[in-house]
Amino acid sequence: FRRTLGEHRQCRATACWGRWNSCVRLGDSRAPYAAATPPPAASSPEAIIAKGLDKLETILQHNQGENPVDFDYAFNLGYGQRQTSAHPLLAEIRTLLDDETKERAQASRPG
């Protein structure tokens, strides 16, 4: 995270992860899920988080990596929405990565 996210965003992402980790350690099975989101194919809390993190990892790699000049960052703004909106932690991290994606998209525009 440090390479791409600024200090403020990194602190927010770390805080999100800490909240999730506390729920898992305490065995809290009542972890909140986004009510408006249809349930993802994954059924256990761990599977839901794993699928969401997988999508977030892809976006993070695109934000950190060297991509072709004509790379379509806008695609990433819609990529994996269902999986990354399945839990508030994932949605909050997604917001941080989407901000980075928008910045990369703007910076990659010619002119």
Side-chain angles (χ1 to χ4, degrees):
F1 274 145
R2 288 186 183 148
R3 183 169 164 205
T4 305
L5 301 177
E7 186 175 330
H8 172 71
R9 289 182 184 149
Q10 179 187 349
C11 290
R12 284 179 48 204
T14 302
C16 293
W17 181 252
R19 287 193 306 273
W20 167 254
N21 201 22
S22 295
C23 288
V24 171
R25 278 199 316 271
L26 296 173
D28 186 353
S29 62
R30 298 169 293 137
Y33 295 92
T37 304
S43 58
S44 72
E46 295 84 0
I48 291 167
I49 294 297
K51 286 194 177 283
L53 287 174
D54 180 60
K55 301 301 182 189
L56 294 172
E57 178 191 17
T58 299
I59 297 166
L60 182 62
Q61 287 177 2
H62 289 156
N63 285 350
Q64 289 183 346
E66 291 189 32
N67 300 304
V69 176
D70 62 346
F71 186 79
D72 183 10
Y73 288 99
F75 173 81
N76 278 347
L77 295 172
Y79 175 75
Q81 284 289 342
R82 184 172 61 90
Q83 293 86 356
T84 60
S85 64
H87 190 278
L89 166 69
L90 298 171
E92 194 165 342
I93 295 172
R94 175 64 187 249
T95 299
L96 297 172
L97 293 178
D98 280 353
D99 290 346
E100 282 293 317
T101 300
K102 290 172 188 172
E103 289 173 13
R104 290 286 303 247
Q106 183 69 27
S108 71
R109 289 190 184 133

